[in-house]
Amino acid sequence: RRQRHLRAVILRGEGGQFSSGLDIKSVANSPWQALKLLFKLLPGNANLAQQVSVAWRELPVPVIAVLDGRCYGGGLQIALGADFRIAANDAELSIMEAKWGLVPDMGGVALMRELMPLDKAKELTMTGRIINADQAETLGLVTHVSDHPLQTAQTLIEEISVRSPDAVAAGKFLLQDAWRALDRAALRAERLWQRKVM
C-alpha cells in the first residue's frame, strides 16, 4: 500500500500450480501455529488467515490472480480476494475444506457472495468438488479463461495503466463499497468518491 509507484499486482504460484491449499502435514505438526492464524483481537476485524485474502481489496491498484494448475481451498480463497482471476485452460478449482472436515475460513465466504449465487456456493462448499476453468468462469469464480493467463493479465494491466491511477483506485473502492449496498448508500458512495477524485 505504501508503494505509490505501483500500478498493479499479479498473484501467481511457482512451478505451474497456483496453490494446493492448506499444508495438512504442517498443521498436524504444529496445531497451535494454525490456531494463531485464526485468532483476532477485536470483534469484526479479520484474523491473519482472513487478511491473506481480503487485504488485496485494500490496495488502490488492480490485483490479478493468475491461476495455473491447482487452486484449492485456501489457495482459492486467496485468489477470490483479487479483483480479477485469469485461469489457464487446465486450471482446477475447489473449495476443498469439506474434505478435511473444515469450512472456508480465509474470507472466502465474504468474497464468494459477490461472485456467485448462494446455492452454487453451498454446493461447492459442501461437496469439495473440483471444477475446471470453464465451469469456474460460468459460475463467476473466474473472470477469464486463457491459453496464456499471465500474458492476458499483463495485457489487462496495460489497458488499465493508461487510465488515471486515482480514477482506477476510486473505481475499485466505489464498486466494493456500493455493489451490494442499498440504492441510497450506493448513490452516496458515488458522490463521495467522485468528489475525492475531482
Side-chain angles (χ1 to χ4, degrees):
R1 285 172 65 180
R2 294 186 191 123
Q3 296 179 22
R4 295 292 172 209
H5 66 282
L6 199 66
R7 294 301 302 269
V9 172
I10 293 178
L11 304 174
R12 59 189 279 259
E14 289 294 323
Q17 307 295 324
F18 184 78
S19 173
S20 294
L22 180 67
D23 181 352
I24 297 297
K25 191 184 278 187
S26 71
V27 171
N29 290 337
S30 182
W32 286 110
Q33 290 291 62
L35 286 175
K36 281 186 200 175
L37 292 174
L38 302 176
F39 177 77
K40 66 182 175 77
L41 194 56
L42 298 172
N45 291 345
N47 62 35
L48 185 56
Q50 293 164 331
Q51 278 294 322
V52 172
S53 299
V54 299
W56 297 111
R57 299 173 60 135
E58 298 171 14
L59 293 182
V61 298
V63 177
I64 304 173
V66 173
L67 310 179
D68 288 306
R70 293 182 197 97
C71 185
Y72 297 163
L76 178 55
Q77 292 180 78
I78 292 169
L80 293 177
D83 299 303
F84 310 100
R85 285 151 306 286
I86 301 173
N89 291 322
D90 65 347
E92 297 179 343
L93 292 79
S94 176
I95 302 166
M96 194 170 271
E97 286 78 4
K99 180 177 178 182
W100 311 110
L102 301 170
V103 295
D105 63 349
M106 293 176 57
V109 173
L111 300 165
M112 272 190 289
R113 70 178 176 203
E114 295 180 356
L115 302 172
M116 62 189 306
L118 176 59
D119 61 334
K120 300 294 184 185
K122 285 179 180 180
E123 182 177 3
L124 292 180
T125 300
M126 292 177 191
T127 64
R129 181 182 305 138
I130 296 171
I131 59 173
N132 65 36
D134 290 328
Q135 292 168 314
E137 184 179 31
T138 299
L139 290 170
L141 291 173
V142 167
T143 313
H144 300 289
V145 177
S146 172
D147 290 330
H148 306 285
L150 181 58
Q151 185 178 355
T152 302
Q154 290 167 334
T155 301
L156 179 58
I157 290 168
E158 288 170 15
E159 189 176 353
I160 293 170
S161 67
V162 298
R163 304 295 171 228
S164 157
D166 294 333
V168 169
K172 174 177 175 167
F173 296 141
L174 165 61
L175 291 170
Q176 287 174 180
D177 290 349
W179 195 251
R180 296 213 180 261
L182 297 174
D183 287 351
R184 210 171 149 165
L187 294 171
R188 180 177 181 275
E190 282 183 4
R191 291 191 306 271
L192 293 175
W193 281 108
Q194 189 69 293
R195 279 187 214 142
K196 230 177 179 180
V197 171
M198 291 174 75

